[in-house]
Amino acid sequence: MPNFSEGRRPEVIEAIAGAIAAQGVKVLSVSADVDHNRCVVTFIGSPEAVVRAALRGAEAAIRLIDLNHHKGSHPRMGAVDVIPFVPVSGCTMEDCVALARQVGEALGNMGVPVFLYEEAATRPDRRNLADVRRGEFEGLRELIGVDPAKDPDFGPRKIHPTAGCTAVGARMPLIAFNVNLGTSDLSIARKIAKAVRGSSGGLVHCKAIAVPLADRNQVQVSMNMVNYKETPLHRAFELIRIEAERYGVPVVGSEIVGLVPVDALVGVARHYLRLEGFKTDQVLEKRLVD
Amino acid sequence: MPNFSEGRRPEVIEAIAGAIAAQGVKVLSVSADVDHNRCVVTFIGSPEAVVRAALRGAEAAIRLIDLNHHKGSHPRMGAVDVIPFVPVSGCTMEDCVALARQVGEALGNMGVPVFLYEEAATRPDRRNLADVRRGEFEGLRELIGVDPAKDPDFGPRKIHPTAGCTAVGARMPLIAFNVNLGTSDLSIARKIAKAVRGSSGGLVHCKAIAVPLADRNQVQVSMNMVNYKETPLHRAFELIRIEAERYGVPVVGSEIVGLVPVDALVGVARHYLRLEGFKTDQVLEKRLVD
C-alpha cells in the first residue's frame, strides 16, 4: 500500500500506478489527494509480484518526483514516502516483515536511505511512523549522515537529492471507523475521543479525534483502529456509547471508510451473537480465496 | 451442492466426488452420513464448470446407486436426490435458476424424471422440497405417469428403475444457526422455537426446533435460516433473547454450523454498530474473489 508524494499531476500518478499494475498484481485502488499532494496505490498479489510492483512503482516515483518542489498538507520525506506491507490472506505478519526488509534493501541499493518501521522496525524509536518522519524531507536532509539516530537501515547515509528517503514497514490493516453522535456539541465528541483513544488512557490500538459534521448537525468520533485483533471495533463502539450516555447523547450511527478485513466483522458478530467456536474459514468467501 | 443417496460405500462416494472434482470446480467439502446413507458434495466454480460437474457426478450416481436396495433415515427419491444451485459471488438467483433448468433438462435426457423446486419451481406446490419428495422413491414410482400432479418438468413420465427421480432447484445459502439457553428445561426451548419459526407465526425464513444439550445441561434453539437477507441472524437472535427473558432464562451462546456468506455477517455488524452506507464490497476478501 505505498504512498507517493504526488497528488496533482495525473500523468505522474498514472505512470506510477501503471508500473505497478504491469507486475501481475491486482490494483484495488488508486487514490490521490490534491491538498495532501499525495497518492496511495493499494494492490495485492503473491509475495514475488508484490515486491516487484513496489520496486517498479518506486523507480517511477524516484524518476518523476522532486521533493525540492513538492508542497502539500500531509507530512512527507520521500518521493516514495512510505511502503507498508499488510498481511491479508495466506500470509503472516512475519512474511510481511521479510518483504519489507527485501524491498527496503533493494530501495537502499537505488540510492534512497530506508528506515524500517512498525512491525519491521529494528529499534523501538522507529516503530511509530510519525517519529521516523519527523523533520520531513527538509529537516532529515540535514540530519541523515550527521545524527547517528538517523542512520538508515538500508541505503546511503546521505539523503537522495530529489527523492528524499523512505519508510518501509509491515503493519496490520487499519480500519477507519467513525461513530456519529446525536448532538452538535463538538466538546462532547472531544471528551469522548480523549476517553477512547490509547494516547490518553483509552484503548491501546485506537486513535481518535473529534470532527464536526456540519451538514448533519452532528459530531463524530473519527477513529483509526490500528489493530482490530487486540482492540476490536465493538469495544470502541460500546465504550463510545457508554461515554456518550453520560452526557445524555445517543450514538446515531457509524461508518467504516474504505476496506475492512472479514476477520474484523467476524469479531463483531462473535461478540454480539455470543458465538462460540466460530472460525473465519467458515465464511464462504474465504474458501474462494484460499 | 448435490445430495446423493450413498453414505456407506466409500468407493461410490469417491467415484462421485472424483467425477465432480475432475471438471475444474473447487470442491469445498464432501460430507457423508452413515445413518442418513447420503452424501453431499459442495463445490463452486464458473457456471459452465458447475453444470458439467453436476452432470458428471449425477452420471456416476445413476450408474452406481440402486434405490431398490437403499435404506437410510433421510427421505430420498433418487440416486441423485436433489441438486440445489446457490448464488455465491458474481452470480444472481436468476443465474442459478437458469443453471437448474439446464441441468434439469440434461438429467431428463438421461432418463431421470426431474422436478424443479424452490426458486426454480414452475408451480407453487413444487417450491417446498419436502412436498416434491413426499412418498419417496417407493411412493413416487407408483404416481409418476399416473397422477398428472406428478408430471416431471423434464424427462420421462416414468420413474428411472434404479435411479428414481431428482429435484433440481435454486435457493439462497442456508445458515445453520443455533442459540443456547442457560436452562436444562426443554419445554422453554420448545416454546421459544415455536415463537421464532415462520411455520407458527414467527420469522418467515426461519425454521426452528428445540434440542437438549445433555452434556452441557442446557437446551438449544436450533435454526435453519433459509433467507438471511430477509430474515437476518440478529433478528432471530434478539427475538430469542427477548422470549427467553420472559422465562428468566439467559442466552449463553450461539453457534454457526458450517459455512456462512460474508453478507450475513455484514448484516450483523450493520445492525449492532448502526453502520451507515456500508457495502459488502468494502470487505477486503471480497476484492480478492471478484
Side-chain angles (χ1 to χ4, degrees):
Chain A
M1 211 181 275
N3 294 219
F4 303 96
S5 293
E6 179 59 64
R8 294 175 189 170
R9 293 177 297 167
E11 69 281 10
V12 173
I13 297 165
E14 278 162 29
I16 294 169
I20 288 169
Q23 305 307 319
V25 296
K26 179 160 188 175
V27 175
L28 299 182
S29 72
V30 180
S31 67
D33 189 283
V34 170
D35 290 332
H36 289 183
N37 199 5
R38 188 179 183 83
C39 68
V40 181
V41 184
T42 304
F43 58 89
I44 197 151
S46 68
E48 300 73 32
V50 155
V51 163
R52 225 164 40 228
L55 289 173
R56 292 299 83 76
E59 258 175 18
I62 293 167
R63 192 173 68 245
L64 298 168
I65 299 171
D66 182 349
L67 264 278
N68 297 286
H69 303 107
H70 179 276
K71 281 197 166 53
S73 60
H74 194 288
R76 83 288 177 267
M77 62 182 191
V80 198
D81 195 53
V82 45
I83 310 183
F85 288 87
V86 178
V88 173
S89 189
C91 170
T92 65
M93 184 59 80
E94 289 66 43
D95 296 333
C96 282
V97 168
L99 296 181
R101 296 189 65 86
Q102 190 184 340
V103 164
E105 186 168 11
L107 256 184
N109 292 338
M110 290 156 69
V112 177
V114 168
F115 301 94
L116 296 171
Y117 81 106
E118 282 222 16
E119 299 297 323
T122 54
R123 322 178 185 183
D125 57 314
R126 288 193 181 163
R127 283 193 69 87
N128 190 340
L129 177 62
D131 293 336
V132 172
R133 196 159 51 197
R134 186 159 298 128
E136 300 191 38
F137 173 66
E138 293 77 5
L140 290 164
R141 185 163 52 185
E142 314 302 323
L143 291 172
I144 294 174
V146 176
D147 180 355
K150 293 294 177 187
D151 279 356
D153 288 294
F154 296 111
R157 292 179 60 243
K158 184 178 184 315
I159 207 161
H160 188 287
T162 56
C165 53
T166 300
V168 182
R171 61 164 173 80
M172 291 281 290
L174 175 155
I175 304 170
F177 182 43
N178 302 327
V179 175
N180 301 335
L181 305 177
T183 175
S184 59
D185 186 341
L186 190 62
S187 72
I188 291 176
R190 283 212 188 95
K191 284 175 202 152
I192 294 175
K194 194 178 166 194
V196 77
R197 71 181 163 232
S199 66
S200 48
L203 299 167
V204 172
H205 303 294
C206 172
K207 302 179 179 186
I209 56 168
V211 175
L213 302 177
D215 54 329
R216 293 175 58 145
N217 212 27
Q218 296 172 353
V219 293
Q220 181 178 79
V221 179
S222 177
M223 293 177 286
N224 275 336
M225 305 297 290
V226 298
N227 184 337
Y228 67 86
K229 291 201 173 160
E230 295 190 6
T231 304
L233 298 185
H234 75 265
R235 201 162 295 151
F237 179 84
E238 290 296 334
L239 199 53
I240 290 172
R241 193 177 58 73
I242 286 161
E243 293 288 324
E245 252 172 28
R246 177 235 174 287
Y247 302 102
V249 167
V251 167
V252 294
S254 76
E255 58 174 349
I256 291 174
V257 183
L259 298 178
V260 61
V262 71
D263 252 347
L265 298 178
V266 167
V268 172
R270 196 180 271 136
H271 175 78
Y272 288 107
L273 299 182
R274 306 179 195 182
L275 279 174
E276 299 175 8
F278 188 82
K279 297 273 191 301
T280 300
D281 71 358
Q282 288 178 251
V283 177
L284 222 163
E285 284 79 357
K286 280 291 274 190
R287 303 290 180 100
L288 312 187
V289 175
D290 298 338
Chain B
M1 212 180 274
N3 295 219
F4 303 96
S5 294
E6 179 59 64
R8 295 176 188 169
R9 293 178 295 167
E11 70 280 10
V12 173
I13 298 165
E14 278 162 30
I16 294 169
I20 287 169
Q23 305 308 319
V25 295
K26 180 162 188 176
V27 174
L28 300 182
S29 73
V30 180
S31 66
D33 188 285
V34 169
D35 292 332
H36 288 183
N37 199 4
R38 185 179 184 84
C39 68
V40 181
V41 184
T42 305
F43 58 89
I44 196 150
S46 68
E48 301 72 33
V50 157
V51 164
R52 223 164 43 227
L55 290 173
R56 292 298 85 75
E59 259 175 17
I62 293 167
R63 191 174 69 244
L64 299 168
I65 299 171
D66 182 349
L67 264 279
N68 298 286
H69 302 108
H70 180 276
K71 283 200 162 52
S73 60
H74 195 289
R76 82 288 177 267
M77 63 182 189
V80 198
D81 195 54
V82 46
I83 310 183
F85 288 87
V86 179
V88 172
S89 188
C91 170
T92 64
M93 185 58 80
E94 290 66 43
D95 296 333
C96 282
V97 168
L99 296 181
R101 297 188 65 86
Q102 189 184 338
V103 164
E105 185 167 11
L107 256 183
N109 292 339
M110 289 156 70
V112 177
V114 168
F115 301 94
L116 295 172
Y117 81 106
E118 282 222 17
E119 299 297 322
T122 53
R123 322 179 184 182
D125 57 315
R126 289 194 181 164
R127 283 192 70 86
N128 190 341
L129 178 61
D131 294 336
V132 171
R133 196 159 51 196
R134 186 159 298 127
E136 301 190 42
F137 173 66
E138 293 77 4
L140 290 165
R141 186 164 50 187
E142 314 302 322
L143 292 172
I144 295 174
V146 176
D147 180 354
K150 294 294 176 186
D151 279 356
D153 288 294
F154 296 110
R157 291 179 60 243
K158 183 176 184 318
I159 207 162
H160 187 289
T162 56
C165 54
T166 300
V168 182
R171 61 164 173 80
M172 290 281 288
L174 173 155
I175 303 170
F177 182 42
N178 302 327
V179 176
N180 302 335
L181 305 178
T183 176
S184 58
D185 186 343
L186 190 62
S187 71
I188 292 176
R190 282 212 189 95
K191 283 176 203 152
I192 295 175
K194 193 177 167 192
V196 77
R197 71 179 164 235
S199 66
S200 48
L203 299 166
V204 173
H205 302 295
C206 172
K207 303 179 179 187
I209 56 169
V211 175
L213 302 178
D215 54 329
R216 294 175 56 147
N217 213 27
Q218 295 172 353
V219 294
Q220 181 178 80
V221 179
S222 177
M223 294 178 286
N224 275 337
M225 306 296 292
V226 298
N227 184 336
Y228 67 87
K229 291 203 173 157
E230 293 191 6
T231 304
L233 298 185
H234 74 266
R235 202 162 294 149
F237 179 84
E238 290 296 335
L239 199 53
I240 290 172
R241 193 178 59 72
I242 287 161
E243 293 288 324
E245 252 172 28
R246 175 235 174 287
Y247 302 101
V249 168
V251 167
V252 294
S254 76
E255 58 174 349
I256 292 174
V257 182
L259 298 178
V260 61
V262 70
D263 252 349
L265 299 177
V266 166
V268 172
R270 196 181 271 135
H271 175 78
Y272 288 106
L273 299 181
R274 305 179 194 182
L275 279 173
E276 299 174 7
F278 188 83
K279 296 271 192 299
T280 300
D281 71 359
Q282 288 178 251
V283 177
L284 221 164
E285 284 79 358
K286 281 291 274 189
R287 302 290 179 102
L288 312 186
V289 177
D290 299 338

